[in-house]
Amino acid sequence: MSANQPPKPQDAPASSPAGPSSERGTRQGPEAQRMQGHWLLATLGKRVLRPGGIGLTRRLLEAAEPTSADRVVELGPGVGRTAEILLAARPASYKGVDPNPEGREQVADVLAAHGRQTEAEYVVADAADTGLPDASADLVVGEAMLTIQSDDHKREIIAEVARILAPGGRYAIHELALRADRSPEELEEIRRSISRTIKVGARPLTEPAWEELLREAGLEVTWNGTASMSLLEPSRIVEDEGVLGALRFWRAMRSTPGARERVNAMRQSFRLQGEALRAIGMVARKPGSPTDKHNGNHDEHTVTDLGSEAAEEAGDATDREVPAS
């Protein structure tokens, strides 16, 4: 799981993270045992940090249909893997918004590689207060960052997205979801268990709750898709990183003190919650008519130019277009 947007101070896990520490709070033991899970994985060389893997990201972006006419904003770009896909569509502009230094150099390299084709910029700002003008974006993408926010902060971020979206603009999210048929007590225990393991407060919602948050902000859900939460399964790692990337990740994991035990603990936690936990993607639209530049241009580049070999994950993926209400 990845989450570049920092949680609010009240978003810390309900119980103290597991791991060695002294009575006075001086941390001891391997650093890998203390790091937030997503940044540990990034440090080990993993580039795809989204819960549904590169397959769900591609399906999400194909549903969002980025084109060369779009002004794209990505909230929490991580190490830039999704930015690569978005920039391949040659949008009119791209802005990656993130307040954190982690991953900034990797994203800068991605932006520099596409600088001749797209006006690209890294914006140091909070997702709930981007500083961008009203109606200045046609597509906003955010992956694995709402999940670690409190419900109030989730609403603040989505309200900010609704503000910066132009009429007809799209908001694409990729998050963790819980089954809606479990009791509130069971869902809360799952959240606590995940938070202890990844060492950051995790507050995934059920699919209906995610949809309701988007609708509260005046957005219309037009598509959703799901995938298993298999981020650390060997087959998913190979799919996401390629064979050589997977080998580099496993080699780094084995050679980094404490990393192997930590990654195995995260994988086991995800397996234990497998029946109740999955990845979800949604595309929501801001009501209104897009400007003429988004209509009728059959020569526009789109994300599907990259191909969709990894788009379908056998046996664990579903896509659904949501009828207009």
Side-chain angles (χ1 to χ4, degrees):
M1 172 179 180
S2 169
N4 239 42
Q5 186 66 29
K8 293 281 191 178
Q10 66 267 27
D11 287 345
S15 58
S16 299
S21 63
S22 72
E23 291 181 357
R24 297 183 180 273
T26 302
R27 293 177 175 178
Q28 300 174 347
E31 184 179 5
Q33 296 286 355
R34 307 191 304 266
M35 295 176 69
Q36 291 183 349
H38 55 287
W39 286 123
L40 170 62
L41 298 178
T43 300
L44 298 175
K46 198 170 192 319
R47 299 197 64 220
V48 177
L49 302 171
R50 315 313 192 188
I54 197 67
L56 184 55
T57 291
R58 288 189 183 278
R59 288 157 48 210
L60 175 74
L61 297 184
E62 287 174 5
E65 298 181 318
T67 73
S68 57
D70 282 330
R71 298 161 295 174
V72 175
V73 173
E74 184 180 6
L75 304 177
V79 295
R81 184 64 184 93
T82 299
E84 290 177 338
I85 302 174
L86 289 165
L87 287 164
R90 301 180 186 177
S93 65
Y94 169 91
K95 290 180 172 64
V97 178
D98 202 313
N100 292 321
E102 295 92 347
R104 196 172 297 173
E105 291 184 5
Q106 294 96 315
V107 175
D109 290 341
V110 172
L111 301 189
H114 292 82
R116 295 181 181 178
Q117 300 172 340
T118 298
E119 177 187 343
E121 179 183 0
Y122 196 103
V123 179
V124 180
D126 189 275
D129 185 16
T130 64
L132 301 177
D134 293 357
S136 61
D138 304 297
L139 174 61
V140 178
V141 177
E143 296 183 283
M145 48 89 75
L146 290 174
T147 294
I148 66 165
Q149 310 301 327
S150 68
D151 288 350
D152 286 343
H153 200 43
K154 286 179 174 73
R155 290 186 174 90
E156 291 172 358
I157 292 171
I158 296 172
E160 175 72 352
V161 170
R163 181 187 69 80
I164 66 173
L165 273 178
R170 296 93 67 209
Y171 180 29
I173 67 171
H174 177 170
E175 300 291 341
L176 280 176
L178 297 167
R179 285 184 53 160
D181 61 353
R182 302 300 174 95
S183 69
E185 294 77 16
E186 185 176 1
L187 296 180
E188 183 58 28
E189 178 53 36
I190 292 171
R191 294 184 182 105
R192 289 174 182 268
S193 175
I194 297 170
S195 296
R196 286 192 296 267
T197 303
I198 66 175
K199 301 191 186 303
V200 64
R203 290 173 172 80
L205 304 177
T206 63
E207 180 178 335
W210 282 121
E211 291 191 14
E212 180 60 26
L213 274 184
L214 294 167
R215 291 194 179 102
E216 283 179 6
L219 304 176
E220 302 172 346
V221 177
T222 60
W223 178 92
N224 65 38
T226 63
S228 66
M229 178 49 185
S230 305
L231 180 67
L232 295 179
E233 294 300 328
S235 60
R236 175 71 71 76
I237 293 173
V238 172
E239 179 184 345
D240 286 346
E241 311 297 333
V243 174
L244 292 180
L247 291 174
R248 285 192 293 268
F249 171 75
W250 287 322
R251 184 166 57 246
M253 182 182 71
R254 292 187 179 98
S255 63
T256 302
R260 185 172 185 173
E261 295 80 2
R262 181 76 189 287
V263 172
N264 286 339
M266 287 192 287
R267 181 190 299 119
Q268 182 63 19
S269 177
F270 297 151
R271 285 175 176 174
L272 288 173
Q273 311 300 341
E275 289 188 3
L277 186 68
R278 61 182 177 179
I280 190 165
M282 290 185 176
V283 177
R285 180 178 176 274
K286 183 174 181 176
S289 299
T291 59
D292 290 341
K293 68 178 181 176
H294 299 290
N295 295 316
N297 186 351
H298 298 293
D299 295 326
E300 290 176 343
H301 293 274
T302 69
V303 72
T304 53
D305 293 338
L306 291 176
S308 56
E309 302 87 4
E312 296 298 333
E313 298 173 82
D316 68 356
T318 62
D319 288 2
R320 179 168 65 91
E321 291 188 5
V322 180
S325 57

